[in-house]
């Protein structure tokens, strides 16, 4: 926690930067407000770290700052002396998945035995609701085929680690959240290519087998290595246990910067409509995930969990798949937009549910 005086000073500075950014954008043009917007997001993130109520939004503000940086200065995030930064995306995904593996154990999979109904409903909702919403939006959007396919891709991806954090904050069923995330992630090499071939095949050529092996390389192998690490060295290298979440967050931010820089022109061209579509996709996932769980008479805690699991996708993995397809600047755009908004909406929803008591006896238990 930052010193209160420093936090107050940073808050005042962020307000000043925001006012300056808005004023400059209105009177001179948004292109002249680059450093003001970038400074606002990063200073705002630092000020949030000093507030117990707002610190959960600090990472989201840093993500917005990174996106603004890539939009204003894309030339610095495309390549350096012939080396294309997009080549870092898959290794960074593998680092994130390794980190996920180090935080997992066999206990996470025992949840299937302890909570079979909740896990089954969670997995089915994850791989049905979001893919079909993505497909519907892609059909209605009128976007170029590859960008439309990206909306289906984010829908066909499994949930990510962020959903576990939000479930904890929302006083949901954390054990169920971790189990559903683990199962959907391990099923992704088989289910995601099948769904993409079925739903996105009319928008872009999908090599199902090649995509399957790409996801195995990005998910199964590094998670397996992380599980082995966890089994033999868990607790013996606390510094690495503490460092992996930070490395994972930094990796996600870097992936986002590279994707936004690569697809900047397309994003500026269709950005507002893509943002609207992504917001609808994300919020519909929460809504349908929650009410589908209620329909199957799950407890309030489990309904909250599955709503978060369905609404929050693994944008990093989707970006990695887009890179392996060789279409990071088009198919990768929807995941790049989905990720930052998902973190903000998930934080808001978790904060709302955190303050709302869970009934001791629910008619849906």
């Amino acid at each position: 926690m930052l010193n209160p005086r420093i936090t107050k000073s940073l808050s005042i500075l962020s307000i000043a930067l925001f006012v300056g950014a808005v004023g400059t954008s209105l009177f001179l043009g948004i292109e002249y407000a680059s450093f003001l917007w970038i400074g606002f997001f990063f200073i705002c993130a630092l000020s949030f770290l000093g507030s117990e109520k707002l610190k959960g939004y600090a990472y989201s503000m840093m993500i917005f700052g990174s996106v603004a940086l890539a939009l204003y200065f894309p030339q610095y995030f495309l390549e350096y002396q012939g080396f294309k930064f997009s080549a870092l995306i898959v290794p960074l995904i593998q680092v994130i998945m390794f980190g996920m593996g180090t935080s997992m154990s066999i206990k996470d999979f025992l949840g299937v035995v302890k909570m079979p109904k909740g896990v089954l409903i969670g997995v089915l909702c994850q791989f049905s609701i979001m893919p079909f919403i993505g497909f519907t939006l892609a059909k209605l959007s009128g976007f170029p085929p590859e960008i439309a396919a990206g909306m289906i891709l984010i829908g066909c991806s499994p949930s990510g680690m962020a959903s576990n954090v939000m479930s904890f904050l929302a006083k949901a069923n954390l054990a169920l959240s971790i189990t559903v995330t683990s199962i959907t992630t391990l099923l992704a090499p088989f289910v995601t290519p099948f769904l993409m071939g079925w739903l996105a095949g009319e928008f872009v050529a999908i090599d199902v087998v090649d995509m399957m092996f790409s996801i195995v390389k990005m998910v199964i192998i590094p998670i397996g290595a992380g599980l082995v690490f966890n089994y033999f060295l868990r607790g013996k290298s606390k510094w690495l246990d503490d460092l992996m979440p930070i490395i994972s967050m930094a990796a996600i931010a870097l992936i986002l910067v590279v994707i936004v820089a690569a697809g900047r022109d397309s994003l500026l061209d269709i950005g507002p409509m893509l943002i609207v579509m992504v917001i609808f996709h994300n919020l519909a996932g929460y809504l349908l995930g929650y009410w589908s769980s209620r329909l199957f008479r799950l407890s309030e805690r489990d309904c909250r969990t599955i709503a978060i699991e369905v609404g929050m996708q693994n944008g990093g993995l989707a970006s990695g798949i887009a890179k392996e397809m060789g279409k990071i600047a088009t198919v990768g755009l929807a995941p790049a937009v989905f990720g930052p908004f998902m973190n903000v909406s998930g934080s808001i929803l978790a904060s709302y549910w955190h303050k709302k008591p869970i009934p001791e006896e629910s008619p849906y238990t």
Side-chain angles (χ1 to χ4, degrees):
M1 188 76 73
L2 295 175
N3 182 290
R5 288 186 177 181
I6 295 176
T7 300
K8 185 177 180 179
S9 299
L10 289 172
S11 299
I12 293 171
L13 178 57
S14 66
I15 293 171
L17 286 169
F18 178 75
V19 172
V22 171
T24 303
S25 299
L26 289 175
F27 293 105
L28 297 178
I30 196 168
E31 64 273 18
Y32 294 101
S34 57
F35 291 106
L36 292 171
W37 281 117
I38 294 168
F40 161 69
F41 286 123
F42 284 115
I43 297 298
C44 195
L46 291 174
S47 69
F48 281 2
L49 289 174
S51 169
E52 191 63 37
K53 293 182 179 180
L54 297 174
K55 66 180 181 180
Y57 299 101
Y59 178 63
S60 298
M61 296 304 292
M62 288 183 181
I63 289 293
F64 282 124
S66 300
V67 169
L69 194 62
L71 283 173
Y72 277 114
F73 305 105
Q75 65 273 22
Y76 298 114
F77 304 103
L78 295 174
E79 61 178 272
Y80 178 73
Q81 294 185 352
F83 175 77
K84 294 185 177 180
F85 291 128
S86 60
L88 296 173
I89 291 176
V90 171
L92 288 171
I93 294 296
Q94 291 171 324
V95 169
I96 294 168
M97 291 298 115
F98 175 79
M100 183 176 179
T102 62
S103 66
M104 292 164 59
S105 70
I106 194 65
K107 293 179 182 178
D108 298 329
F109 302 99
L110 294 177
V112 178
V113 178
K114 295 178 181 178
M115 303 170 287
K117 182 180 179 182
V119 172
L120 179 61
I121 292 171
V123 172
L124 288 176
C125 286
Q126 175 67 48
F127 285 126
S128 60
I129 291 173
M130 293 301 272
F132 286 104
I133 295 175
F135 173 75
T136 303
L137 292 174
K139 292 286 283 185
L140 295 174
S141 67
F143 291 156
E146 291 187 0
I147 294 176
M151 299 181 66
I152 300 174
L153 175 59
I154 190 64
C156 295
S157 300
S159 53
M161 291 183 292
S163 63
N164 304 152
V165 177
M166 299 309 169
S167 291
F168 172 74
L169 295 175
K171 296 183 178 178
N173 188 338
L174 181 58
L176 176 61
S177 175
I178 293 172
T179 302
V180 171
T181 298
S182 303
I183 298 298
T184 55
T185 300
L186 293 180
L187 287 175
F190 314 101
V191 179
T192 299
F194 168 76
L195 289 172
M196 282 295 291
W198 179 26
L199 299 175
E202 66 179 272
F203 295 97
V204 65
I206 303 293
D207 187 327
V208 174
V209 175
D210 185 59
M211 184 178 291
M212 187 180 298
F213 282 112
S214 294
I215 300 176
V216 167
K217 177 178 66 177
M218 289 187 287
V219 173
I220 302 298
I221 294 175
I223 283 183
L227 282 167
V228 171
F229 176 90
N230 186 19
Y231 181 80
F232 289 105
L233 298 173
R234 183 68 172 176
K236 296 181 181 178
S237 53
K238 191 174 182 304
W239 64 272
L240 186 58
D241 297 337
D242 295 336
L243 189 60
M244 279 312 302
I246 299 173
I247 292 175
S248 295
M249 288 190 292
I252 292 170
L254 184 53
I255 289 170
L256 211 54
V257 167
V258 172
I259 295 171
V260 171
R264 177 183 181 271
D265 293 340
S266 296
L267 191 57
L268 291 179
D269 185 39
I270 64 166
M273 183 54 68
L274 181 62
I275 291 171
V276 170
M277 293 282 187
V278 161
I279 290 173
F280 180 85
H281 199 178
N282 176 234
L283 298 183
Y286 294 139
L287 184 66
L288 294 179
Y290 180 84
W291 286 104
S292 297
S293 305
R294 296 259 308 201
L295 182 66
F296 286 103
R297 304 182 69 82
L298 294 183
S299 68
E300 172 66 17
R301 292 179 72 237
D302 289 354
C303 288
R304 294 182 181 187
T305 304
I306 293 175
I308 292 171
E309 287 296 311
V310 172
M312 301 191 73
Q313 305 294 87
N314 192 333
L317 177 59
S319 301
I321 295 171
K323 168 62 176 65
E324 290 291 277
M325 293 172 65
K327 303 180 186 300
I328 191 65
T330 51
V331 177
L333 275 186
V337 176
F338 194 98
F341 181 77
M342 171 192 78
N343 283 300
V344 174
S345 65
S347 299
I348 293 171
L349 181 60
S351 298
Y352 169 74
W353 270 334
H354 181 81
K355 297 171 185 176
K356 187 177 181 181
I358 296 176
E360 292 186 10
E361 292 184 10
S362 170
Y364 296 93
T365 55

